[in-house]
């Protein structure tokens, strides 16, 4: 399966009614060839491998109380070896039941009743999973940066992470390339931070995602004077959900093909396409600060990622604008307890340097390379590089599971 190529989907439904509901929805999705079978997993018992030959996505309507059927599902998951993505739907399944299916290796769950956008999202997730599994280690690695509240310093981190990776790779392996994507479509200010023009082509991609290919992606990107390739946010205001999940998958997949490292600055809100980005992310950096509101929001976001079943996604917490004071040790301990996980990185507060960088549209590294703030940011980059490289060798856990 290559990008944008047709996905063969087999839907297996317990009732003809559900089959009649699913068939037109699948038919309405671009690049999908669907076949609907009425039956349950028992009905293909013994000829499962043959039934799944050539099937990219199996969409199965489960009876979650049927232990034997869940057993068959487990067998399919074991045998698929990255060839088939598995989507499940079921009536009245508890949140715990959904989590257990995802843990078992089901790629996405579609709650009933569903509409076309639910089906599109699930197919986009399946496509992303398959691509991740099939591209294996040759694809570029994705590090996404987010924050639980506005103004935490996520864009500063994303930009300098990409710049540090670019410098590192450039010196040792000049052929390796780094891309920085501003997916904070509405409020993204990486272009301001790096003194670049907003992307007119990005607005074009959002208007007509079908046109997106490697050439258009390259044309949409600008080069920072360091040589870093940047996809700035569009210059005009666009609705966050204007970018379909399938187009987001394609955008990141193309970036992974063209670059060795892809750093993504995410929006504060959770658009429908967030899931597609997280599916393709090797490491997520969550930027916070040491105050009650930020820590509480950060904990909420960590819980959200866990509830959305991103068990395998390494999430590192970065505490930005940190001022070390002996008297604050208690507050720090409280924060770690509230987060329920350690703080991985501390980035010092340096408002003067940060302000000068913003005002001049110049990276911090160019102003005072040896400042503590710059050293801390390079430290986060080095640690992230280690995390993604460890995940890539041998094949990452999601690639094994898929
Ligand atoms: N370590 C730091 N020390 C001092 N100021 C900082 C530091 N990191 C970021 N800032 C400043 O904080 C402000 C917000 O940073 P940034 O835009 O990176 O945050 P963000 O989380 O991306 O915000 P938004 O939610 O608006 O996208 C900027 O003015 C930036 O210069
Ligand atoms: Mg930002």
């Amino acid at each position: 399966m290559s990008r944008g190529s047709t996905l063969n989907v087999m839907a297996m439904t317990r009732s003809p009614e559900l089959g009649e509901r699913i068939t037109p929805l699948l038919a309405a999705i671009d690049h999908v060839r669907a076949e609907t079978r009425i039956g349950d997993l028992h009905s293909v018992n013994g000829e499962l491998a043959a039934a799944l030959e050539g099937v990219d996505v199996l969409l199965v309507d489960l009876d979650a109380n049927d232990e034997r059927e869940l057993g068959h599902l487990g067998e399919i998951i074991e045998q698929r070896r990255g060839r088939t993505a598995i989507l499940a739907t079921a009536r009245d399944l508890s949140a715990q039941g959904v989590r257990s299916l995802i843990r078992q290796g089901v790629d996405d769950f579609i709650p009933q009743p569903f509409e076309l956008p639910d089906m599109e999202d699930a197919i986009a997730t399946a496509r992303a999973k398959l691509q991740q599994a099939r591209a294996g280690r040759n694809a570029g690695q994705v590090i996404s940066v987010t924050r639980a509240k506005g103004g935490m310093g996520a864009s500063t981190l994303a930009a300098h992470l990409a710049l540090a990776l670019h410098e590192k790779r450039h010196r040792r392996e000049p052929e390796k390339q780094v891309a920085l994507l501003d997916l904070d479509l509405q409020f993204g200010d990486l272009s301001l931070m790096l003194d670049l023009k907003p992307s007119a082509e990005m607005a074009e991609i959002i208007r007509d995602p079908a046109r997106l290919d490697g050439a258009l992606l390259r044309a949409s990107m600008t080069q920072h004077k360091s040589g870093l390739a940047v996809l700035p946010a569009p210059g005009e205001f666009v609705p966050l959900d204007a970018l379909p999940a399938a187009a987001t998958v394609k955008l990141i997949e193309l970036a992974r093909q063209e670059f060795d490292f892809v750093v993504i600055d995410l929006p504060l809100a959770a658009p429908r396409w967030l899931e597609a980005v997280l599916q393709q992310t090797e490491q997520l950096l969550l930027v916070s600060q040491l105050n009650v509101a930020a820590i509480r929001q950060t904990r909420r976001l960590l819980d959200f990622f866990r509830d959305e079943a991103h068990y395998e996604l390494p999430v590192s917490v970065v505490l930005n604008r940190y001022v070390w004071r002996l008297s604050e040790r208690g507050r720090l301990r409280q924060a770690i307890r509230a987060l329920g996980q350690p703080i991985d990185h501390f980035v010092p507060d340096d408002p003067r340097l940060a302000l000068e960088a913003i005002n001049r549209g110049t990276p911090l590294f160019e102003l005072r390379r040896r400042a503590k703030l710059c050293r801390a940011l390079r430290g986060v980059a080095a640690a992230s590089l280690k995390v993604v490289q460890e995940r890539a060798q041998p094949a990452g856990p999601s690639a094994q599971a898929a």
Side-chain angles (χ1 to χ4, degrees), residues 247-283:
T248 315
V249 174
K250 194 165 164 187
L251 177 71
I252 298 174
E253 191 52 40
L254 287 168
R256 286 165 71 107
Q257 279 167 22
E258 304 256 333
F259 297 92
D260 300 282
F261 293 98
V262 181
V263 177
I264 299 179
D265 191 9
L266 287 168
L268 191 55
R272 295 189 78 104
W273 46 263
L274 178 66
E275 179 63 22
V277 177
L278 295 179
Q279 290 290 352
Q280 298 204 68
T281 294
E282 265 83 28
Q283 199 203 5

Side-chain angles (χ1 to χ4, degrees), residues 145-158 184 187-190 193 265-268 287 289 319-322 347-358 364 373 377:
V145 183
T146 191
R147 70 283 191 214
K149 272 173 76 69
M152 293 285 105
S155 299
T156 306
L157 178 66
D184 189 357
F187 301 107
D189 46 16
L190 286 177
M193 221 173 249
D265 191 9
L266 287 168
L268 191 55
V287 184
Q289 293 183 10
L319 202 68
N320 191 25
R321 307 201 63 170
Y322 180 63
V347 175
D349 191 31
D350 191 339
R352 271 180 58 186
L353 185 58
L355 186 64
E356 194 186 343
I358 285 284
L364 296 160
L373 171 54
L377 291 168

